[in-house]
mmCIF file of all heavy atoms in Angstrom:
data_model
loop_
_atom_site.group_PDB
_atom_site.id
_atom_site.type_symbol
_atom_site.label_atom_id
_atom_site.label_comp_id
_atom_site.label_asym_id
_atom_site.label_seq_id
_atom_site.Cartn_x
_atom_site.Cartn_y
_atom_site.Cartn_z
ATOM 1 N N ILE A 156 80.529 110.940 111.745
ATOM 2 C CA ILE A 156 80.696 109.979 112.799
ATOM 3 C C ILE A 156 81.507 108.762 112.204
ATOM 4 O O ILE A 156 81.025 108.275 111.250
ATOM 5 C CB ILE A 156 79.401 109.628 113.513
ATOM 6 C CG1 ILE A 156 78.682 110.800 114.040
ATOM 7 C CG2 ILE A 156 79.470 108.509 114.535
ATOM 8 C CD1 ILE A 156 77.244 110.626 114.578
ATOM 9 N N VAL A 157 82.473 108.379 113.038
ATOM 10 C CA VAL A 157 83.281 107.180 112.684
ATOM 11 C C VAL A 157 83.127 106.294 113.917
ATOM 12 O O VAL A 157 83.508 106.693 114.875
ATOM 13 C CB VAL A 157 84.573 107.354 112.185
ATOM 14 C CG1 VAL A 157 85.290 105.976 111.978
ATOM 15 C CG2 VAL A 157 84.609 108.261 110.911
ATOM 16 N N PHE A 158 82.647 104.976 113.704
ATOM 17 C CA PHE A 158 82.607 104.122 114.732
ATOM 18 C C PHE A 158 83.944 103.125 114.500
ATOM 19 O O PHE A 158 84.214 102.788 113.383
ATOM 20 C CB PHE A 158 81.508 103.127 114.700
ATOM 21 C CG PHE A 158 80.128 103.855 115.028
ATOM 22 C CD1 PHE A 158 79.318 104.396 114.073
ATOM 23 C CD2 PHE A 158 79.614 103.777 116.320
ATOM 24 C CE1 PHE A 158 78.181 104.852 114.291
ATOM 25 C CE2 PHE A 158 78.423 104.434 116.696
ATOM 26 C CZ PHE A 158 77.674 104.959 115.664
ATOM 27 N N ILE A 159 84.610 102.680 115.637
ATOM 28 C CA ILE A 159 85.626 101.737 115.528
ATOM 29 C C ILE A 159 85.012 100.423 115.952
ATOM 30 O O ILE A 159 84.751 100.201 117.189
ATOM 31 C CB ILE A 159 86.827 102.047 116.346
ATOM 32 C CG1 ILE A 159 87.339 103.516 116.026
ATOM 33 C CG2 ILE A 159 87.908 101.007 116.022
ATOM 34 C CD1 ILE A 159 87.796 103.707 114.523
ATOM 35 N N ALA A 160 84.785 99.446 114.959
ATOM 36 C CA ALA A 160 84.168 98.106 115.260
ATOM 37 C C ALA A 160 85.353 97.154 115.382
ATOM 38 O O ALA A 160 86.393 97.363 115.869
ATOM 39 C CB ALA A 160 83.126 97.791 114.190
ATOM 40 N N SER A 161 85.240 96.071 114.616
ATOM 41 C CA SER A 161 86.209 94.920 114.550
ATOM 42 C C SER A 161 85.750 94.012 113.398
ATOM 43 O O SER A 161 84.689 93.766 113.153
ATOM 44 C CB SER A 161 86.305 94.277 115.885
ATOM 45 O OG SER A 161 87.070 93.106 115.750
ATOM 46 N N THR A 162 86.859 93.238 112.934
ATOM 47 C CA THR A 162 86.532 92.275 111.999
ATOM 48 C C THR A 162 85.858 91.065 112.801
ATOM 49 O O THR A 162 85.064 90.332 112.052
ATOM 50 C CB THR A 162 87.919 91.615 111.439
ATOM 51 O OG1 THR A 162 88.803 91.408 112.529
ATOM 52 C CG2 THR A 162 88.571 92.601 110.507
ATOM 53 N N SER A 163 85.955 90.953 114.043
ATOM 54 C CA SER A 163 85.234 90.032 114.671
ATOM 55 C C SER A 163 83.714 90.306 114.715
ATOM 56 O O SER A 163 82.850 89.428 114.748
ATOM 57 C CB SER A 163 85.518 90.024 116.275
ATOM 58 O OG SER A 163 86.930 89.723 116.496
ATOM 59 N N GLY A 164 83.241 91.493 114.471
ATOM 60 C CA GLY A 164 81.956 91.891 114.378
ATOM 61 C C GLY A 164 81.280 91.505 112.874
ATOM 62 O O GLY A 164 80.233 91.605 112.706
ATOM 63 N N ILE A 165 82.254 91.235 112.022
ATOM 64 C CA ILE A 165 81.800 90.790 110.742
ATOM 65 C C ILE A 165 82.022 89.188 110.515
ATOM 66 O O ILE A 165 81.029 88.572 110.037
ATOM 67 C CB ILE A 165 82.746 91.451 109.630
ATOM 68 C CG1 ILE A 165 82.568 92.993 109.865
ATOM 69 C CG2 ILE A 165 82.384 90.920 108.302
ATOM 70 C CD1 ILE A 165 83.698 93.697 108.948
ATOM 71 N N ALA A 166 83.093 88.712 110.867
ATOM 72 C CA ALA A 166 83.306 87.244 110.600
ATOM 73 C C ALA A 166 83.201 86.459 111.947
ATOM 74 O O ALA A 166 83.257 85.170 111.795
ATOM 75 C CB ALA A 166 84.830 87.106 110.178
ATOM 76 N N GLY A 167 83.017 86.994 113.040
ATOM 77 C CA GLY A 167 83.035 86.258 114.349
ATOM 78 C C GLY A 167 84.478 85.853 114.656
ATOM 79 O O GLY A 167 85.478 85.785 113.774
ATOM 80 N N ARG A 168 84.616 85.359 115.825
ATOM 81 C CA ARG A 168 85.919 84.839 116.338
ATOM 82 C C ARG A 168 85.756 83.960 117.579
ATOM 83 O O ARG A 168 85.246 84.485 118.563
ATOM 84 C CB ARG A 168 86.881 85.939 116.528
ATOM 85 C CG ARG A 168 88.317 85.517 117.106
ATOM 86 C CD ARG A 168 89.372 86.469 117.054
ATOM 87 N NE ARG A 168 89.824 86.571 115.754
ATOM 88 C CZ ARG A 168 90.719 85.778 114.947
ATOM 89 N NH1 ARG A 168 91.277 84.808 115.701
ATOM 90 N NH2 ARG A 168 91.162 85.996 113.772
ATOM 91 N N ALA A 169 86.223 82.723 117.546
ATOM 92 C CA ALA A 169 85.999 81.772 118.719
ATOM 93 C C ALA A 169 86.561 82.448 120.007
ATOM 94 O O ALA A 169 87.645 83.027 119.891
ATOM 95 C CB ALA A 169 86.740 80.525 118.445
ATOM 96 N N GLY A 170 85.819 82.419 121.017
ATOM 97 C CA GLY A 170 86.209 83.069 122.229
ATOM 98 C C GLY A 170 85.771 84.471 122.424
ATOM 99 O O GLY A 170 86.062 85.075 123.507
ATOM 100 N N GLN A 171 85.137 84.979 121.426
ATOM 101 C CA GLN A 171 84.721 86.421 121.465
ATOM 102 C C GLN A 171 83.132 86.637 121.258
ATOM 103 O O GLN A 171 82.819 87.620 120.519
ATOM 104 C CB GLN A 171 85.545 87.211 120.438
ATOM 105 C CG GLN A 171 86.959 87.383 120.971
ATOM 106 C CD GLN A 171 87.624 88.565 120.195
ATOM 107 O OE1 GLN A 171 87.403 88.795 118.941
ATOM 108 N NE2 GLN A 171 88.419 89.402 120.847
ATOM 109 N N ALA A 172 82.371 85.757 121.726
ATOM 110 C CA ALA A 172 80.959 85.880 121.550
ATOM 111 C C ALA A 172 80.441 87.193 121.855
ATOM 112 O O ALA A 172 79.738 87.987 121.224
ATOM 113 C CB ALA A 172 80.154 84.762 122.118
ATOM 114 N N ASN A 173 80.681 87.651 123.087
ATOM 115 C CA ASN A 173 80.209 88.960 123.510
ATOM 116 C C ASN A 173 80.812 90.169 122.757
ATOM 117 O O ASN A 173 80.079 90.997 122.410
ATOM 118 C CB ASN A 173 80.571 89.220 125.099
ATOM 119 C CG ASN A 173 81.990 88.738 125.416
ATOM 120 O OD1 ASN A 173 82.863 88.460 124.513
ATOM 121 N ND2 ASN A 173 82.402 88.912 126.672
ATOM 122 N N TYR A 174 82.044 90.133 122.399
ATOM 123 C CA TYR A 174 82.809 91.142 121.727
ATOM 124 C C TYR A 174 82.274 91.204 120.339
ATOM 125 O O TYR A 174 81.934 92.307 119.732
ATOM 126 C CB TYR A 174 84.247 90.925 121.720
ATOM 127 C CG TYR A 174 85.087 91.909 121.094
ATOM 128 C CD1 TYR A 174 85.294 93.142 121.702
ATOM 129 C CD2 TYR A 174 85.730 91.670 119.795
ATOM 130 C CE1 TYR A 174 86.119 94.107 121.104
ATOM 131 C CE2 TYR A 174 86.524 92.584 119.295
ATOM 132 C CZ TYR A 174 86.709 93.816 119.905
ATOM 133 O OH TYR A 174 87.560 94.716 119.219
ATOM 134 N N ALA A 175 82.203 89.973 119.676
ATOM 135 C CA ALA A 175 81.703 89.851 118.264
ATOM 136 C C ALA A 175 80.397 90.496 118.095
ATOM 137 O O ALA A 175 80.037 91.183 117.263
ATOM 138 C CB ALA A 175 81.825 88.553 117.692
ATOM 139 N N ALA A 176 79.458 89.966 119.082
ATOM 140 C CA ALA A 176 78.053 90.595 119.083
ATOM 141 C C ALA A 176 78.086 91.987 119.195
ATOM 142 O O ALA A 176 77.280 92.747 118.544
ATOM 143 C CB ALA A 176 77.305 89.847 120.195
ATOM 144 N N SER A 177 78.878 92.601 120.133
ATOM 145 C CA SER A 177 78.888 94.011 120.323
ATOM 146 C C SER A 177 79.253 94.696 119.138
ATOM 147 O O SER A 177 78.721 95.782 118.625
ATOM 148 C CB SER A 177 79.794 94.401 121.575
ATOM 149 O OG SER A 177 80.989 94.300 121.183
ATOM 150 N N LYS A 178 80.289 94.281 118.428
ATOM 151 C CA LYS A 178 80.728 94.896 117.266
ATOM 152 C C LYS A 178 79.953 94.757 116.017
ATOM 153 O O LYS A 178 79.763 95.628 115.145
ATOM 154 C CB LYS A 178 82.298 94.529 117.053
ATOM 155 C CG LYS A 178 83.221 94.914 118.030
ATOM 156 C CD LYS A 178 83.365 96.416 118.357
ATOM 157 C CE LYS A 178 84.490 96.840 119.252
ATOM 158 N NZ LYS A 178 84.623 98.248 119.396
ATOM 159 N N GLY A 179 79.373 93.609 116.000
ATOM 160 C CA GLY A 179 78.376 93.343 114.921
ATOM 161 C C GLY A 179 77.236 94.226 115.075
ATOM 162 O O GLY A 179 76.615 94.819 114.116
#
Side-chain angles (χ1 to χ4, degrees):
I156 297 172
V157 175
F158 292 92
I159 307 301
S161 167
T162 50
S163 297
I165 300 169
R168 175 162 286 276
Q171 290 200 311
N173 49 1
Y174 183 77
S177 73
K178 295 299 190 177

